[in-house]
Amino acid sequence: MDYLDEKSMDINYASTYGDTYKLMKQAGKSISDFVEHTIPPGKSIAIICGTGNNAGDGICSGEYLLKKYNVSVLLIKDVKGLKTQETRRAINDYNGAYYPLSSLDELISRSDIIIDAIFGVGINGDPRKPYIEVIEKINNSGKTIISVDVPSGFQTNIQVKPDYTVTFTDIKTGMNRENSGKITVSDIGIPEKIKSAVGPGDMVYMPISAPESHKGMNGTVGILAGWEFPGAAVMSSLSAYNVGPDLVKVFTNEVNRSIIMPYNPGLMFYPVNGKNFPTLSGLNSMLIGPGMGKSREAEDLIKYAIKNYNGQLILDADALKLITPSEVKDRNAIITPHSMEFTAFTGLKPTEENAVETAKKYGLIILLKGSKDIITDGVNIRYSYGGNSRMTMGGTGDVLAGIVAGIASRKVSPLRSASLGSFINKKCGDIAFEKFGSYYGIMDMIDNIKIIMHNKF
């Protein structure tokens, strides 16, 4: 699974249905069913739980397993340490015994099976104490180990090494027999619409800058825009800036300096012309096209930048009218066309089928804008709902492209960058509409980016 995990889908599910406890119960039942098909009844099982929903899944499995097995639940951080309401509900509904961390050695010693329910996919960085010691004791136990969704500490330097993993909905990226044991995929009842829809759960992929990081470590964006219409450079650069990269570099006409810079002195301005184009090294992403126009000089600059920049490209607006798909084939570029720009770029009708086929054929990420945005890499397809009629005003596409470029500079994968960008853009419009009705402006949308990033809607 390239773009979804249990945590993000839980959030998207909750935003639609209001409660994920039903999913937690089904996850617990899936684990119980696997155990019953694999382990003879009467065995002793220790379910070792962390604090989040992964722990809740494990606790729910214990409720079912009590009927046929000797079950003990261990809470590493005790009941007060459980972080989610669903997990607290799970321990309240559980009718068996549960134990503190001090009982770990005893439970491991007397158990035949260990169910690892410490961490899901949401862990950031290597596990810390006391989790390091718990994982080491599980791995050294010699007992049969079953992990819930992913092995705890998955893709870090310290992880549980299970014999089996029961994962939900789909195999997560990077899972294999070596790091996850024998993998069983279980359907826990997430509707197809939730699996494919962009939503607030996608915000879990937005990086948080580490306190010890320094300038440049959290993204540098280049923006070639505004050659003919400098307002487009303003809107796209401010939007990129508001998703939190360290640096935003604007490449455009020298005459536009006095127009662009007063909006934000934090932007870096680089004048360009046909004979002078500053180095494009050091950029983590580059947006090309908004407000460039279709003059020969604009075309030359666009093609020069595409040819000479080797990082993550985001192409929008006039860039899509002046180049062909073959010029960015297999560049993993993100393109953000509306229907007419899609046809200008591809020569095809702006349908979902054509977007998927074009993305697959040329190795692109396509964000086809509309009342329902379609985002695809040619294999995965995501849909972004929301927005309102006021978003037909000029500039919303420039805002979207800037947001995507800013996110991509933070080393978020291209498909996720496009999906997140679409969600944030539409949410910006919806928040503005709630406040001002049909009379909000483009700067209202741009200001809302910071609200969304801070609150993680």
Side-chain angles (χ1 to χ4, degrees), residues 25-36:
K25 294 284 285 186
Q26 185 57 46
K29 184 66 166 59
S30 296
I31 299 160
S32 172
D33 288 347
F34 173 81
V35 171
E36 289 187 24

Side-chain angles (χ1 to χ4, degrees), residues 2-3 356-357 359-360 364 375-382 415:
D2 292 325
Y3 57 85
V356 172
E357 289 303 313
K360 184 185 299 184
L364 303 172
I375 305 116
T376 180
D377 59 2
V379 177
N380 301 294
I381 306 173
R382 305 210 66 197
L415 184 65

